[in-house]
Amino acid sequence: MTETTEKIKVLVLGDSGVGKTSLVNLIANKTYKPSSWTVGCSLEVIYHESKDHSEFIELWDVGGSLVHANSRSVFLRGTFHGLILVHDLTNSKSYTNMIKWAVEYAQQGQTASKRLTREGESNLLENIDIPKLIVGTKQDYLWSRSRYNIDRSGLISHLNAQFISVNSLDHLQYKSSYQQQQISNFMDQVVKHKKNLSNRFNKPFRSSAGEGSSSNAGSPASAGRGLFSSLDLGFNF
């Protein structure tokens, strides 16, 4: 089992009042109830373990209030390694609004000068290359499982995300449940994505074939030429 000190960050987005903070508390195994809606951003750190790795993961719970929409871009400009989109199972509008949240993330909180076309939104959604999870909350309010009949076609399908539904207030039922396993699998994907990203930038680059003469190929000077790592570029992940 390996452990690193690299920051691994997951962004949690959704309409105000859908239960993002309650979901984060469920994942972090915190039983207290949030006293009010999140203003700005709330940060929670969890310790995720699997047979291959052990990592700290930051959960960035960004407030969904329209009042703070202009300042939200401050939190969306960073580098994230996973995205959780949250909707309320009893509120169909919060489901369709996930497209808006995904697009806002893809644009890093920047407001487009004009309304995007459906094709433009589709392209943005397909280009989100981090692991994604869609969570429906307030499952306890559904008196019948047959009511959980959501259209997973349309633009939402372009996200290629896993769907689960939870009762964020029932911590006992959550333990060792299908939902907990799916969230754990998602966190595994997040860690794997982060490590692949780090390896990609830390892998040495070599100059293309044909540059320089073959007679200098064995010299120490030529060995270092065209060979550099992310440290040379000043990248910090």
Side-chain angles (χ1 to χ4, degrees), residues 87-92 138-151 165:
H87 69 101
D88 180 346
L89 289 170
T90 67
N91 182 352
S92 59
K138 306 182 183 181
Q139 189 185 62
D140 50 315
Y141 281 83
L142 300 183
W143 57 269
S144 170
R145 288 288 296 174
S146 62
R147 288 187 60 192
Y148 186 43
N149 184 22
I150 292 177
D151 179 15
S165 59

Side-chain angles (χ1 to χ4, degrees), residues 81-84 128-133 186 189-191 193:
H81 309 103
L83 175 64
I84 298 178
I128 298 177
D129 61 351
I130 60 177
K132 299 164 288 288
L133 178 68
F186 169 73
Q189 294 174 24
V190 169
V191 173
H193 174 80

Side-chain angles (χ1 to χ4, degrees), residues 143-163:
W143 57 269
S144 170
R145 288 288 296 174
S146 62
R147 288 187 60 192
Y148 186 43
N149 184 22
I150 292 177
D151 179 15
R152 299 182 182 182
S153 61
L155 285 175
I156 292 293
S157 64
H158 291 279
L159 285 169
N160 192 28
Q162 171 73 24
F163 287 75

Side-chain angles (χ1 to χ4, degrees), residues 9 29 45 72 81 92 96 118 122 128 133 166 190 216 220 223:
K9 303 193 298 183
N29 197 27
V45 180
R72 196 158 47 230
H81 309 103
S92 59
T96 57
R118 182 181 177 87
S122 175
I128 298 177
L133 178 68
V166 299
V190 169
N216 295 328

